[in-house]
Structure formats: C-alpha cells, structure tokens
Amino acid sequence: MATPDTNGDPKSPSIITKEDVEVIVRRKLGHQDFRLISWKASLVEKSSGFLGVYFNVVAVVSNGNPAEVKELKFFAKAPPPSSSPQSNFLDRCNGFNKEIKVYKEMIPRLGLGRGDKWTVDFYFGKKDQLIVFEDVTVLGYVMPDKNKPLDLEHTTLVMKTLARFHSRSLLLEEKLQSEGRSIWDLYGPYLEEALFSKDPTSLEIRESCLIGTVTLIDEVARVKNFTSQEVDALKKRVKNWICRITELLSPSAKYRNVICHRDVWTNNLMFKYGHNNNPEGCCIIDFQFFRYSPPAIDFECILYLTTDKRIRDNHYDTLARTYHNALRDALAEEGVDVESCLSWKTFRESCVFAKHVAIIYAALNLQVMLLDSKAIDHLFDSKKPEVLEEALYKAGRAKLVKHQFASIAPYRERLTEIILDIRDVLPEEPPVLPILDQK
C-alpha cells in the first residue's frame, strides 16, 4: 500500500492513499485533466454507525488555472476495528464487500432511472478496506433524528423513493427473463441472508434479540397491567415467530421478488429540504443487508422501523397506494405495465404476511437501533469490546433493554407500540410459505 499523504493530519485514516484520492477525483469530475493540490481525510466525530467507521475526505484540485481551484467533498467508510464483534459479524457475512458489490456492479446494472435521485453516487471501493461516496450534505441532504418517528410527509417521500429503487429491479428482471435468467442467477451468493441466517453467530444474535424482546414484554406488561397468562402467551408467540425468521425472510415462490434493502430506517435515510422546509429529496444508503424478497417486506419494514402507530393506523392505505402508484409511474417510463409485474391486488395480498414479518423484525431490531447516544458510546468503547459482545450476542441484552426502556421516553414509546402490535395483530403461529428454490 502506498504511503498516504494526509497533510500532517494526525486523525487521518491511513487506509486511504493519495493514489486513491486521485482515482476518486477523476471519477467525480469525469476526466483526468486536473491537479490534486492537497487532500485530507478526517474521522467523523460521534459517528452513529454500527457496522463501519466513517470519515470525510476533502480534495483541493485545479485544472491547471490557479484561479480555478475547487474543493471537492466525499464521504467514506471503513470496516469496524478487527477486534470488535461487528468486524466478526461483517467478516462472517462478507457485508462490507457485499456493499461494494451493490454500488460497483449491481446499481450500475439496475440503472438509476429518469426520476429523482434515490441513492448516493459511488466513486471508489477497496476490498475489505474502503468505500467512498459523494458527500450529499453538500447538496443539502441531512439525516433525520432517529428518536422522532417520520411524519406523513417524510414517509410519503420514502415510499416514492423505495418504489423507484424497486422498479429498477423489476425492469432488470423483465429483461433477464426474456433471456431465461433471473437476478438470482446473477447475484445469488450476494443475496443470501446476512443477519438472521443459521450459522452459530447469527443464532447467537437471534437468541440475544429474543432475550431483549422477552424483557420488553415484561416491561410493557408491568406498565399495561397484562395478566400472567397474557405475558406467557406473548412470549410463546414471539418464540414461534423468531424460530422461523430465516424462512420468513427468504425469497418467495408465491410473490414476485425484488432486490430489497431490508434495513431502511432513519439512520439509512437522507432528506433534502426546499425553501418552505418541506422534504423534496430522499436517498437510501447503506446496502449491507440487501436481500431478494417480495417488495412488501421493504414497504412494511419501513413503516415499523421509522414511523409510529398513528401514522401506520391512520395513513396505511394512502401510503400503500402512494408506493404502488410511484412503482407504476417508474415502470411506465420504461414502457412496462405494473399490472404485469406487480398488480395492486397482489401487492396488497403480499402486504398481509409482510406486515406480520415486519412487526417481529422491528421487535428484534429497534431494541438496538433506538439506543441513546450514551448507551452507544458505552457499547462502542474500543477499550471494552466485551461489553458490546455481551449486549449483541449474549444475556447482557436484557440489562441494556431494561435500562433504556426505563430511562429513554422515545425508546419506551416506540417499543411499547411494537409489543402491543405483537399482542393485537400478530397471529399465534407464522404461516408456512413456499420458498423460492435458491439452488
């Protein structure tokens, strides 16, 4: 590896080199008629990433005319420290390199379409080491506050953005089917389950998530005065669903599948605002858990990971129609009829099972996603990796969840709604679904 030139900045990550920056700038500008005057990479302070170390890259370039100097900004991420539990997880599922694959090969093949921007531009990927994107904050994009559920306006925009992303998958598969192939044929190994597979580490994660969910049931039961019979029934129901979570998230043999993001929550969304402070642009980021599933999985998971019960109950039909109309329009731009790909009737039918999957998925994931900053700082203290490992993979989840529920109001409110939906909406047993043959 070449020696990095970071202009003496002691915090600059050594993972990026001058040669890398020159490649990044060339791809950004679309030509090589420039001179790299200086560059700097600096760690993003107070990063909230669970599966990466984030940093900013700034390059100062000229095209030979001293009066025409530009400052270009980029956003980059590297894998977590090799000694951390997150690193072990990413290595197991090849998550970091899968994301490079998405941006370097899959998205260019899918195409971005003619509509609004739905993800960020990718400029550079180095296996096991580095991914570099455009810095969309320069364009005015900001990440929403994860402690505040998305309102109707933001959720509507997310659904339109999701539909544009899904439309690209449907369009590619329509073309491939005419050749006797499918997206699974092209990218099968990259589309396999990462979070809830059946390897030992994933089973440890699942068990820890179960511990956390059972703890939440106890806490909500105490506040809402559940009977002991109700508590026992809820715990049994949760276990039934968690035991089948891998199957439930598998590609469907009944419904049309697309490349799903499967992790669209507030920390993986960026919004741009107009002069009246209304959201007018949305980008989906972080494709580490992408999967081949019915699009209803993404639709329902967004609702349960980013909104509250008021939005879900009062605006569900409107949001479903918004998504499907946006899908229809995006497909029509390419001359494809939505009814031949994913009819309204079929989409709504698939939402019934996907809603139940999303409820249990939210119960398993929001207990970590919504941790407050103090808890995150404590868990991600690099000097104590065993603390994070205990909370992520072991029985320490119960203590963590109980403390957050008692002390953090947004955490308590959102998780209470999920537990109540488990009680009121989730069936006793998950359905038996036909799974796509993945061989």
Side-chain angles (χ1 to χ4, degrees):
M1 181 184 295
T3 303
D5 174 7
T6 57
N7 298 320
D9 183 355
K11 292 186 177 182
S12 292
S14 60
I15 203 72
I16 187 168
T17 69
K18 179 181 179 181
E19 289 80 3
D20 295 337
V21 176
E22 288 175 336
V23 172
I24 294 163
V25 171
R26 183 169 69 247
R27 290 173 178 170
K28 167 69 174 178
L29 298 177
H31 61 78
Q32 55 187 12
D33 184 21
F34 68 90
R35 182 171 68 90
L36 180 61
I37 297 173
S38 64
W39 69 278
K40 180 171 68 173
S42 55
L43 291 170
V44 175
E45 299 295 336
K46 301 293 184 181
S47 171
S48 58
F50 286 105
L51 294 175
V53 177
Y54 300 150
F55 52 100
N56 297 312
V57 179
V58 178
V60 179
V61 303
S62 75
N63 63 357
N65 184 343
E68 297 184 10
V69 174
K70 293 183 179 180
E71 183 179 82
L72 304 176
K73 295 183 178 181
F74 306 92
F75 179 79
K77 68 178 177 180
S82 58
S83 60
S84 68
Q86 312 101 286
S87 178
N88 294 336
F89 173 79
L90 278 182
D91 289 345
R92 176 187 62 81
C93 66
N94 200 27
F96 192 83
N97 294 323
K98 282 176 66 175
E99 187 167 23
I100 293 177
K101 183 83 170 182
V102 170
Y103 283 104
K104 188 175 182 179
E105 297 184 30
M106 291 179 64
I107 289 179
R109 187 158 193 166
L110 291 173
L112 297 175
R114 307 174 193 175
D116 296 331
K117 188 179 189 69
W118 54 266
T119 193
V120 297
D121 292 339
F122 163 84
Y123 293 120
F124 189 77
K126 186 187 293 186
K127 185 179 179 181
D128 297 321
Q129 297 182 58
L130 180 68
I131 307 177
V132 180
F133 310 95
E134 66 175 324
D135 182 352
V136 290
T137 63
V138 173
L139 303 176
Y141 286 84
V142 296
M143 186 178 293
D145 182 351
K146 71 175 184 179
N147 293 312
K148 297 180 180 179
L150 297 185
D151 60 19
L152 179 60
E153 199 168 22
H154 285 82
T155 309
T156 297
L157 183 55
V158 174
M159 292 307 180
K160 291 179 179 179
T161 305
L162 180 73
R164 299 208 68 85
F165 165 48
H166 285 170
S167 74
R168 306 312 304 174
S169 182
L170 288 169
L171 289 165
L172 175 58
E173 190 129 79
E174 288 289 301
K175 179 181 178 181
L176 290 172
Q177 285 182 349
S178 68
E179 304 168 359
R181 297 187 296 166
S182 70
I183 285 177
W184 189 266
D185 294 329
L186 289 182
Y187 301 113
Y190 293 92
L191 294 167
E192 293 178 353
E193 178 63 30
L195 184 57
F196 294 117
S197 62
K198 295 183 178 180
D199 66 85
T201 300
S202 184
L203 292 176
E204 286 182 341
I205 294 174
R206 188 183 311 182
E207 181 62 27
S208 185
C209 288
L210 174 59
I211 290 171
T213 307
V214 167
T215 302
L216 287 168
I217 291 172
D218 286 335
E219 294 303 300
V220 174
R222 182 175 52 79
V223 175
K224 298 293 183 179
N225 297 316
F226 292 176
T227 67
S228 59
Q229 291 81 5
E230 285 180 307
V231 171
D232 292 342
L234 280 179
K235 291 180 179 179
K236 180 180 179 182
R237 188 178 306 174
V238 163
K239 290 177 183 178
N240 290 340
W241 280 82
I242 292 178
C243 286
R244 297 268 302 281
I245 191 66
T246 302
E247 171 193 336
L248 295 168
L249 293 170
S250 295
S252 173
K254 182 177 181 180
Y255 299 112
R256 188 74 180 263
N257 299 292
V258 299
I259 298 175
C260 283
H261 184 281
R262 252 280 304 281
D263 195 29
V264 182
W265 65 296
T266 45
N267 276 22
N268 288 337
L269 292 168
M270 302 284 288
F271 290 100
K272 182 174 67 172
Y273 296 86
H275 296 300
N276 55 2
N277 207 35
N278 291 328
E280 61 179 23
C282 175
C283 284
I284 301 173
I285 59 175
D286 276 358
F287 287 79
Q288 290 177 319
F289 293 130
F290 70 97
R291 191 75 163 93
Y292 193 55
S293 302
I297 292 290
D298 263 354
F299 173 80
E300 296 288 349
C301 281
I302 285 174
L303 289 177
Y304 280 90
L305 294 178
T306 69
T307 72
D308 58 19
K309 186 173 176 59
R310 180 184 62 84
I311 292 292
R312 295 192 292 269
D313 287 353
N314 296 337
H315 303 286
Y316 182 89
D317 291 341
T318 299
L319 290 167
R321 182 59 79 176
T322 295
Y323 167 85
H324 197 263
N325 286 348
L327 186 70
R328 176 200 63 198
D329 294 346
L331 293 174
E333 290 172 359
E334 307 287 343
V336 174
D337 182 6
V338 71
E339 291 298 308
S340 68
C341 292
L342 183 67
S343 70
W344 169 247
K345 179 181 178 180
T346 301
F347 172 65
R348 287 306 301 264
E349 180 184 321
S350 66
C351 283
V352 174
F353 103 88
K355 179 194 292 268
H356 298 152
V357 175
I359 291 172
I360 200 68
Y361 191 79
L364 300 180
N365 287 281
L366 283 178
Q367 54 185 273
V368 172
M369 288 176 171
L370 297 182
L371 293 174
D372 72 321
S373 58
K374 289 183 179 179
I376 291 174
D377 290 344
H378 176 65
L379 289 176
F380 286 81
D381 184 345
S382 60
K383 298 177 182 178
K384 299 178 180 179
E386 68 279 2
V387 174
L388 179 61
E389 186 170 2
E390 177 70 18
L392 289 183
Y393 302 145
K394 300 180 181 179
R397 182 71 68 92
K399 181 179 178 180
L400 174 67
V401 165
K402 189 172 183 177
H403 178 267
Q404 290 286 293
F405 189 92
S407 58
I408 309 299
Y411 188 97
R412 180 169 58 254
E413 292 163 3
R414 294 277 295 280
L415 270 302
T416 296
E417 289 183 346
I418 298 299
I419 297 302
L420 293 178
D421 267 357
I422 290 175
R423 183 192 67 177
D424 300 335
V425 179
L426 198 65
E428 293 290 336
E429 297 280 351
V432 177
L433 302 171
I435 297 174
L436 185 71
D437 184 0
Q438 301 169 42
K439 295 182 180 179

Short mmCIF file of all heavy atoms in Angstrom, two decimals, residues 48 140-151 154-155 158 264-273 279 281-283 285 305-306 370:
data_model
loop_
_atom_site.label_atom_id
_atom_site.label_comp_id
_atom_site.label_asym_id
_atom_site.label_seq_id
_atom_site.Cartn_x
_atom_site.Cartn_y
_atom_site.Cartn_z
N SER A 48 -22.54 7.40 14.40
CA SER A 48 -23.57 6.51 14.94
C SER A 48 -23.64 5.20 14.16
O SER A 48 -24.62 4.49 14.25
CB SER A 48 -24.94 7.20 14.88
OG SER A 48 -25.25 7.58 13.56
N GLY A 140 -27.32 19.50 0.41
CA GLY A 140 -28.37 19.86 1.36
C GLY A 140 -29.06 18.69 2.04
O GLY A 140 -30.02 18.89 2.78
N TYR A 141 -28.60 17.47 1.82
CA TYR A 141 -29.21 16.31 2.45
C TYR A 141 -28.74 16.17 3.90
O TYR A 141 -27.57 16.39 4.21
CB TYR A 141 -28.85 15.03 1.69
CG TYR A 141 -29.57 14.85 0.38
CD1 TYR A 141 -29.10 15.45 -0.78
CD2 TYR A 141 -30.72 14.07 0.30
CE1 TYR A 141 -29.75 15.29 -1.98
CE2 TYR A 141 -31.38 13.89 -0.91
CZ TYR A 141 -30.89 14.50 -2.05
OH TYR A 141 -31.54 14.33 -3.24
N VAL A 142 -29.67 15.81 4.77
CA VAL A 142 -29.35 15.58 6.17
C VAL A 142 -30.04 14.31 6.65
O VAL A 142 -31.06 13.89 6.10
CB VAL A 142 -29.79 16.76 7.07
CG1 VAL A 142 -29.03 18.02 6.71
CG2 VAL A 142 -31.29 16.99 6.97
N MET A 143 -29.47 13.70 7.67
CA MET A 143 -30.07 12.51 8.26
C MET A 143 -31.09 12.92 9.31
O MET A 143 -30.82 13.80 10.13
CB MET A 143 -28.97 11.64 8.89
CG MET A 143 -29.45 10.30 9.42
SD MET A 143 -28.07 9.32 10.11
CE MET A 143 -27.13 8.99 8.62
N PRO A 144 -32.27 12.30 9.33
CA PRO A 144 -33.28 12.67 10.33
C PRO A 144 -32.90 12.18 11.72
O PRO A 144 -32.04 11.31 11.88
CB PRO A 144 -34.54 11.97 9.82
CG PRO A 144 -34.03 10.79 9.05
CD PRO A 144 -32.75 11.25 8.42
N ASP A 145 -33.57 12.71 12.71
CA ASP A 145 -33.38 12.30 14.09
C ASP A 145 -34.08 10.95 14.31
O ASP A 145 -35.29 10.84 14.16
CB ASP A 145 -33.97 13.37 15.02
CG ASP A 145 -33.78 13.06 16.50
OD1 ASP A 145 -33.33 11.94 16.84
OD2 ASP A 145 -34.11 13.93 17.32
N LYS A 146 -33.31 9.94 14.68
CA LYS A 146 -33.89 8.61 14.82
C LYS A 146 -34.90 8.53 15.97
O LYS A 146 -35.72 7.62 16.02
CB LYS A 146 -32.80 7.56 15.03
CG LYS A 146 -32.11 7.62 16.39
CD LYS A 146 -31.13 6.48 16.56
CE LYS A 146 -30.51 6.46 17.95
NZ LYS A 146 -29.58 5.32 18.12
N ASN A 147 -34.83 9.47 16.90
CA ASN A 147 -35.74 9.45 18.04
C ASN A 147 -37.12 10.03 17.71
O ASN A 147 -38.04 9.93 18.53
CB ASN A 147 -35.14 10.24 19.21
CG ASN A 147 -33.92 9.56 19.78
OD1 ASN A 147 -33.94 8.37 20.04
ND2 ASN A 147 -32.85 10.31 19.96
N LYS A 148 -37.26 10.61 16.52
CA LYS A 148 -38.53 11.18 16.11
C LYS A 148 -39.09 10.35 14.96
O LYS A 148 -38.49 10.31 13.88
CB LYS A 148 -38.35 12.63 15.68
CG LYS A 148 -37.88 13.56 16.79
CD LYS A 148 -37.72 14.99 16.26
CE LYS A 148 -37.25 15.93 17.37
NZ LYS A 148 -37.07 17.32 16.87
N PRO A 149 -40.22 9.70 15.16
CA PRO A 149 -40.82 8.93 14.06
C PRO A 149 -41.09 9.84 12.86
O PRO A 149 -41.42 11.02 13.02
CB PRO A 149 -42.14 8.42 14.66
CG PRO A 149 -41.93 8.47 16.14
CD PRO A 149 -41.02 9.63 16.40
N LEU A 150 -40.94 9.30 11.67
CA LEU A 150 -41.19 10.09 10.47
C LEU A 150 -42.67 10.47 10.39
O LEU A 150 -43.55 9.65 10.68
CB LEU A 150 -40.80 9.30 9.22
CG LEU A 150 -39.32 8.93 9.06
CD1 LEU A 150 -39.10 8.25 7.72
CD2 LEU A 150 -38.40 10.13 9.20
N ASP A 151 -42.93 11.70 9.98
CA ASP A 151 -44.31 12.13 9.79
C ASP A 151 -44.80 11.67 8.41
O ASP A 151 -44.07 11.04 7.64
CB ASP A 151 -44.44 13.64 9.96
CG ASP A 151 -43.60 14.44 8.98
OD1 ASP A 151 -43.18 13.88 7.94
OD2 ASP A 151 -43.36 15.63 9.24
N HIS A 154 -42.68 12.94 5.26
CA HIS A 154 -41.42 12.23 5.06
C HIS A 154 -41.66 10.78 4.63
O HIS A 154 -40.97 10.26 3.74
CB HIS A 154 -40.61 12.25 6.36
CG HIS A 154 -39.95 13.56 6.66
ND1 HIS A 154 -40.63 14.61 7.25
CD2 HIS A 154 -38.68 14.00 6.45
CE1 HIS A 154 -39.80 15.64 7.39
NE2 HIS A 154 -38.61 15.30 6.92
N THR A 155 -42.62 10.12 5.26
CA THR A 155 -42.89 8.73 4.93
C THR A 155 -43.38 8.59 3.49
O THR A 155 -43.00 7.65 2.78
CB THR A 155 -43.92 8.13 5.90
OG1 THR A 155 -43.53 8.39 7.24
CG2 THR A 155 -44.03 6.62 5.70
N VAL A 158 -40.36 8.74 1.31
CA VAL A 158 -39.59 7.49 1.40
C VAL A 158 -40.24 6.42 0.53
O VAL A 158 -39.54 5.67 -0.18
CB VAL A 158 -39.47 7.01 2.86
CG1 VAL A 158 -38.80 5.64 2.91
CG2 VAL A 158 -38.68 8.00 3.69
N VAL A 264 -34.09 -0.22 5.87
CA VAL A 264 -34.45 1.18 5.70
C VAL A 264 -35.04 1.72 7.00
O VAL A 264 -36.20 1.54 7.31
CB VAL A 264 -35.46 1.38 4.55
CG1 VAL A 264 -35.76 2.88 4.39
CG2 VAL A 264 -34.91 0.83 3.24
N TRP A 265 -34.18 2.35 7.79
CA TRP A 265 -34.62 3.06 8.98
C TRP A 265 -33.97 4.43 8.95
O TRP A 265 -33.24 4.77 8.00
CB TRP A 265 -34.31 2.28 10.25
CG TRP A 265 -32.86 2.08 10.58
CD1 TRP A 265 -31.94 1.37 9.86
CD2 TRP A 265 -32.17 2.58 11.72
NE1 TRP A 265 -30.71 1.40 10.50
CE2 TRP A 265 -30.83 2.13 11.63
CE3 TRP A 265 -32.55 3.35 12.82
CZ2 TRP A 265 -29.87 2.44 12.60
CZ3 TRP A 265 -31.59 3.65 13.77
CH2 TRP A 265 -30.27 3.20 13.66
N THR A 266 -34.23 5.25 9.93
CA THR A 266 -33.86 6.66 9.84
C THR A 266 -32.36 6.89 9.62
O THR A 266 -31.97 7.82 8.93
CB THR A 266 -34.32 7.43 11.09
OG1 THR A 266 -33.99 6.67 12.26
CG2 THR A 266 -35.81 7.65 11.07
N ASN A 267 -31.50 6.06 10.20
CA ASN A 267 -30.06 6.25 10.02
C ASN A 267 -29.58 5.85 8.63
O ASN A 267 -28.41 6.07 8.29
CB ASN A 267 -29.28 5.48 11.08
CG ASN A 267 -29.15 6.24 12.38
OD1 ASN A 267 -29.96 7.13 12.66
ND2 ASN A 267 -28.17 5.90 13.19
N ASN A 268 -30.46 5.25 7.84
CA ASN A 268 -30.10 4.89 6.47
C ASN A 268 -30.89 5.70 5.45
O ASN A 268 -31.08 5.26 4.30
CB ASN A 268 -30.31 3.39 6.24
CG ASN A 268 -29.25 2.56 6.96
OD1 ASN A 268 -28.17 3.05 7.27
ND2 ASN A 268 -29.57 1.31 7.23
N LEU A 269 -31.37 6.87 5.89
CA LEU A 269 -32.10 7.78 5.03
C LEU A 269 -31.47 9.17 5.10
O LEU A 269 -31.01 9.60 6.16
CB LEU A 269 -33.56 7.88 5.46
CG LEU A 269 -34.43 6.63 5.26
CD1 LEU A 269 -35.76 6.80 5.99
CD2 LEU A 269 -34.67 6.37 3.78
N MET A 270 -31.47 9.87 3.98
CA MET A 270 -31.01 11.26 3.92
C MET A 270 -32.09 12.06 3.19
O MET A 270 -32.57 11.65 2.13
CB MET A 270 -29.69 11.38 3.16
CG MET A 270 -28.54 10.56 3.73
SD MET A 270 -27.81 11.27 5.21
CE MET A 270 -26.93 12.68 4.54
N PHE A 271 -32.46 13.21 3.77
CA PHE A 271 -33.50 14.05 3.18
C PHE A 271 -32.94 15.42 2.79
O PHE A 271 -32.08 15.97 3.47
CB PHE A 271 -34.65 14.27 4.17
CG PHE A 271 -35.49 13.05 4.43
CD1 PHE A 271 -35.28 12.29 5.58
CD2 PHE A 271 -36.46 12.65 3.53
CE1 PHE A 271 -36.05 11.17 5.84
CE2 PHE A 271 -37.23 11.52 3.78
CZ PHE A 271 -37.04 10.78 4.93
N LYS A 272 -33.49 15.95 1.70
CA LYS A 272 -33.18 17.31 1.27
C LYS A 272 -34.45 18.13 1.36
O LYS A 272 -35.54 17.64 1.04
CB LYS A 272 -32.66 17.32 -0.18
CG LYS A 272 -32.27 18.70 -0.69
CD LYS A 272 -31.63 18.63 -2.07
CE LYS A 272 -32.64 18.18 -3.11
NZ LYS A 272 -32.09 18.29 -4.48
N TYR A 273 -34.32 19.39 1.78
CA TYR A 273 -35.48 20.24 2.04
C TYR A 273 -35.52 21.45 1.12
O TYR A 273 -34.48 21.99 0.73
CB TYR A 273 -35.48 20.68 3.51
CG TYR A 273 -35.63 19.53 4.46
CD1 TYR A 273 -34.52 18.80 4.89
CD2 TYR A 273 -36.89 19.12 4.90
CE1 TYR A 273 -34.66 17.71 5.74
CE2 TYR A 273 -37.05 18.04 5.75
CZ TYR A 273 -35.92 17.33 6.16
OH TYR A 273 -36.07 16.24 6.99
N PRO A 279 -39.72 18.31 2.86
CA PRO A 279 -38.78 17.37 2.23
C PRO A 279 -39.08 17.23 0.75
O PRO A 279 -40.22 17.01 0.36
CB PRO A 279 -39.04 16.07 3.00
CG PRO A 279 -40.44 16.19 3.51
CD PRO A 279 -40.63 17.64 3.81
N GLY A 281 -36.40 15.71 -1.41
CA GLY A 281 -35.48 14.71 -1.94
C GLY A 281 -35.15 13.69 -0.88
O GLY A 281 -35.13 14.00 0.32
N CYS A 282 -34.92 12.44 -1.30
CA CYS A 282 -34.61 11.37 -0.35
C CYS A 282 -33.63 10.39 -0.98
O CYS A 282 -33.80 9.99 -2.14
CB CYS A 282 -35.90 10.64 0.05
SG CYS A 282 -35.66 9.20 1.13
N CYS A 283 -32.62 10.02 -0.23
CA CYS A 283 -31.66 9.00 -0.65
C CYS A 283 -31.65 7.86 0.37
O CYS A 283 -31.68 8.10 1.59
CB CYS A 283 -30.25 9.57 -0.74
SG CYS A 283 -29.96 10.59 -2.19
N ILE A 285 -29.38 4.82 1.84
CA ILE A 285 -27.96 4.50 1.90
C ILE A 285 -27.75 3.18 2.66
O ILE A 285 -28.69 2.61 3.20
CB ILE A 285 -27.15 5.63 2.57
CG1 ILE A 285 -27.67 5.88 4.01
CG2 ILE A 285 -27.26 6.91 1.74
CD1 ILE A 285 -26.84 6.91 4.78
N LEU A 305 -40.17 0.38 11.25
CA LEU A 305 -38.86 0.84 11.73
C LEU A 305 -38.75 2.35 11.82
O LEU A 305 -37.87 2.87 12.52
CB LEU A 305 -37.74 0.30 10.83
CG LEU A 305 -37.52 -1.21 10.82
CD1 LEU A 305 -36.40 -1.56 9.84
CD2 LEU A 305 -37.19 -1.74 12.21
N THR A 306 -39.61 3.09 11.11
CA THR A 306 -39.42 4.55 11.05
C THR A 306 -40.62 5.36 11.49
O THR A 306 -40.47 6.56 11.74
CB THR A 306 -39.05 5.00 9.62
OG1 THR A 306 -40.19 4.84 8.75
CG2 THR A 306 -37.88 4.21 9.06
N LEU A 370 -32.62 2.00 18.39
CA LEU A 370 -33.05 3.19 19.10
C LEU A 370 -32.29 3.47 20.39
O LEU A 370 -32.71 4.30 21.20
CB LEU A 370 -34.55 3.09 19.40
CG LEU A 370 -35.48 3.04 18.19
CD1 LEU A 370 -36.95 2.98 18.62
CD2 LEU A 370 -35.25 4.24 17.27
#
